[in-house]
Amino acid sequence: MKPKFIVVTGGVLSGLGKGVTTSSIGNLLKAQGYNVTALKMDPYINVDAGTMRPTEHGEVWVTDDGGETDQDLGNYERFIDITLSKKHSITTGQLYLTVIQKERNLEYDGKCVEVIPHIPLEIKRRILDVANTTKADFVLIEVGGTVGDYQSILFLEALRELKREVKDLIFVHVVYLPIPNNLGEMKTKPAQHSIRFLNSTGIQPDYIIARASRTIDKVRREKFSFLCNVEDDAVFAAPDVKNIYEVPLLFERQGLDKKILSHFGLRYKSNNNRVWKSFIHKLSLLKNEVKIGVVGKYFDIGDFTLEDSYVSVIEAIKHASWANNVIPKIQWIDSKQFETNPKSITQLSQYDALIIPGGFGGSGVEGKITAIKYARENNIPLLGLCYGLQLSVVEFARNVCNVKDAHTTEINPNTKNPVVIILPEQKKLLEQKQYGASMRLGSYNAILKKNTKVAQLYKKNEASERHRHRYEVNPDYHQLLEQHGMILSGMSPDGKLVEYIELPNHPYFVGTQAHPEFTSRPLHPNPLFYGLIEAAKKRAKRSSL
Ligand code: GLN
């Protein structure tokens, strides 16, 4: 089948849930038996998301092949259950970098190289390349930002041109319909204006997704479709939902998938998506809770960006909890309070499990180390992710191996006992100020030690997870750590890098140099998160006795 393209744009507000819309359409088409892929176009000049602070941009999603991308790729992978590459993230920075490089290489045969047509040409080349390499039946294309932003205009122009060329392309426009308190009525005007803007770029949306706190009513739906020049049944309601994984079913009930298929002349098969339906149904039956604390440095972030910065960790906790038939209650614990008020550490005893997530820099580090010590000594299940593994090693070296000044050189470059050091190749890169896309990135294999908890959870002797780091456990200290009882349960195939650690005689004390949150899917939780929640459940049961 020739690929069909579905473009998703957004109007009125950012943060509307375009990513969830795109992913949900993908979920439904996959359930219809099609090969689906998705890509995201971001208007910023950063070549990738790796150089942006998570507080600025939300989490940096890492692809299998080491791309540092927008977090929406995470939604695509989770909802559609696919694995994407860095090619699925296109930024303005990449486009200009490529076009200027081609110009320098005389690849434009002496022509004057201009924004139009050369930037849209490069955008289309990249989209078609993804279509070709994935051999997808459906290519979903999400345009970042909001229509009307100056910086999105070249993407819209490229998509207008693409429609003329490939024909099989539809536009889905996601809009927000506010219900102002003083009026108590849903207003469509801002959405109408955003559609008028799209029209001015030569694009007519085929379908409209009406995001709002409530369901759009029939009267407004019809008025809206009339004014915006779409068919009567082309406006779909997308009210707020408790759980984003319900959105595919919300669209399915309104026949969005059926409509899209018939648009392309394809037959709709009813009674699909049974697995997803029973998964959503099961969630509504869950009662028991586990309390999970995520220990980090949060006061600098502010409430609104917090969830965005750790979205994959949160989703991985949910997937693993649901598979264990429990509901997770996630709490953010600011590690700095343990530095200013050491007594406050005892509050950690109320949690069924703790996570020390990835991070960079010194803020709140001593507090995290204190939290790790408390979890180790008080048998609280703990999972350390990347920085979480490194700080667990620092804690163990200091308090079990009795190396009091043990530290990571990321924080104390002059420590006499550098138990965590920079990877040798990373040192050179940093000296040359090569910061972009230069960490140890993407999937790496680890060989797991037999009979360890980690090997048991992965159910094999090898594991592959995605990475994003510059530091590693210092090989000079491997023996010392092992002599004192730490199990280095997974190593890089050459035996040099510690990929997993664990402690025996503890309900669950596991650390990984990787970011296992990136491979967690709603129906296939990541094994390490699964193990953590399994242990949390046991602890919750014990404390409720
Ligand atoms: N700062 C640490 C490193 O660079 C950990 C990184 C992370 O947690 N992703 O190795």
Side-chain angles (χ1 to χ4, degrees), residues 91-142:
T91 70
T92 300
Q94 290 168 20
L95 299 169
Y96 277 89
L97 203 63
T98 310
V99 169
I100 293 171
Q101 200 55 57
K102 279 188 185 166
E103 183 273 330
R104 294 287 81 187
N105 297 346
L106 275 183
E107 286 179 43
Y108 289 107
D109 295 332
K111 281 201 190 93
C112 174
V113 182
E114 302 202 64
V115 169
I116 302 282
H118 293 103
I119 299 293
L121 272 171
E122 180 58 23
I123 297 175
K124 288 184 287 179
R125 186 190 70 74
R126 284 172 182 249
I127 295 174
L128 294 174
D129 182 37
V130 166
N132 283 337
T133 48
T134 56
K135 302 204 169 29
D137 303 316
F138 284 97
V139 181
L140 291 148
I141 305 167
E142 180 185 345

Side-chain angles (χ1 to χ4, degrees), residues 13-308:
L13 291 184
S14 62
L16 268 179
K18 274 191 313 264
V20 171
T21 300
T22 309
S23 308
S24 298
I25 296 173
N27 173 293
L28 293 174
L29 293 172
K30 184 160 182 191
Q32 287 286 320
Y34 293 101
N35 178 4
V36 181
T37 195
L39 62 91
K40 174 86 193 277
M41 307 208 286
D42 276 303
Y44 45 75
I45 294 181
N46 300 62
V47 172
D48 57 42
T51 53
M52 275 184 268
R53 267 195 305 272
T55 46
E56 198 48 50
H57 174 264
E59 166 191 275
V60 177
W61 175 261
V62 180
T63 57
D64 237 7
D65 65 341
E68 295 172 290
T69 76
D70 188 85
Q71 50 173 299
D72 273 319
L73 268 74
N75 277 325
Y76 310 155
E77 292 206 11
R78 286 188 282 264
F79 276 75
I80 315 176
D81 201 5
I82 46 176
T83 301
L84 301 173
S85 73
K86 57 174 92 158
K87 280 186 176 174
H88 295 247
S89 167
I90 302 175
T91 70
T92 300
Q94 290 168 20
L95 299 169
Y96 277 89
L97 203 63
T98 310
V99 169
I100 293 171
Q101 200 55 57
K102 279 188 185 166
E103 183 273 330
R104 294 287 81 187
N105 297 346
L106 275 183
E107 286 179 43
Y108 289 107
D109 295 332
K111 281 201 190 93
C112 174
V113 182
E114 302 202 64
V115 169
I116 302 282
H118 293 103
I119 299 293
L121 272 171
E122 180 58 23
I123 297 175
K124 288 184 287 179
R125 186 190 70 74
R126 284 172 182 249
I127 295 174
L128 294 174
D129 182 37
V130 166
N132 283 337
T133 48
T134 56
K135 302 204 169 29
D137 303 316
F138 284 97
V139 181
L140 291 148
I141 305 167
E142 180 185 345
V143 186
T146 310
V147 302
D149 297 343
Y150 283 136
Q151 56 266 46
S152 315
I153 202 80
L154 292 172
F155 291 108
L156 296 177
E157 168 58 14
L159 293 164
R160 181 195 68 77
E161 294 173 18
L162 189 64
K163 172 150 185 151
R164 274 188 86 238
E165 289 156 21
V166 301
K167 310 276 187 300
D168 280 341
L169 185 151
I170 57 171
F171 287 98
V172 177
H173 188 53
V174 188
V175 289
Y176 189 72
L177 309 176
I179 309 175
N181 271 345
N182 58 332
L183 302 176
E185 184 195 333
M186 186 180 278
K187 304 303 275 181
T188 62
K189 200 66 67 139
Q192 287 181 42
H193 288 171
S194 85
I195 292 164
R196 205 147 296 156
F197 179 86
L198 255 190
N199 291 158
S200 75
T201 66
I203 291 173
Q204 168 61 47
D206 299 283
Y207 301 108
I208 292 167
I209 307 291
R211 282 282 298 116
S213 56
R214 297 210 301 266
T215 303
I216 183 171
D217 58 13
K218 191 160 178 289
V219 178
R220 267 176 199 75
R221 203 187 291 240
E222 285 169 0
K223 180 179 128 195
F224 195 24
S225 54
F226 170 73
L227 289 169
C228 298
N229 206 19
V230 296
E231 289 170 37
D232 279 354
D233 53 357
V235 178
F236 293 85
D240 291 346
V241 285
K242 271 222 295 290
N243 180 346
I244 52 169
Y245 298 113
E246 288 170 21
V247 177
L249 302 181
L250 180 79
F251 288 159
E252 191 197 25
R253 281 198 293 277
Q254 299 176 70
L256 178 60
D257 46 354
K258 198 171 181 179
K259 224 157 173 350
I260 291 176
L261 289 178
S262 84
H263 186 111
F264 290 119
L266 298 168
R267 215 165 50 84
Y268 176 76
K269 302 183 208 108
S270 48
N271 269 336
N272 264 296
N273 231 355
R274 284 223 180 96
V275 183
W276 200 266
K277 273 179 198 146
S278 64
F279 155 65
I280 297 294
H281 176 68
K282 173 187 143 166
L283 300 189
S284 65
L285 305 175
L286 300 181
K287 285 196 182 68
N288 296 338
E289 293 180 352
V290 285
K291 202 165 170 193
I292 312 297
V294 185
V295 185
K297 42 165 189 182
Y298 302 124
F299 284 156
D300 341 359
I301 293 181
D303 295 347
F304 293 109
T305 40
L306 194 58
E307 303 243 328
D308 243 21

Side-chain angles (χ1 to χ4, degrees), residues 357-361 385-388 390 410 439 468-472 513 515:
F360 296 84
L385 307 172
C386 199
Y387 212 16
Q390 296 171 359
E410 181 172 354
M439 288 191 226
R468 184 171 189 254
H469 65 121
R470 295 193 198 277
Y471 292 79
E472 60 165 325
Q513 188 53 76
H515 286 280

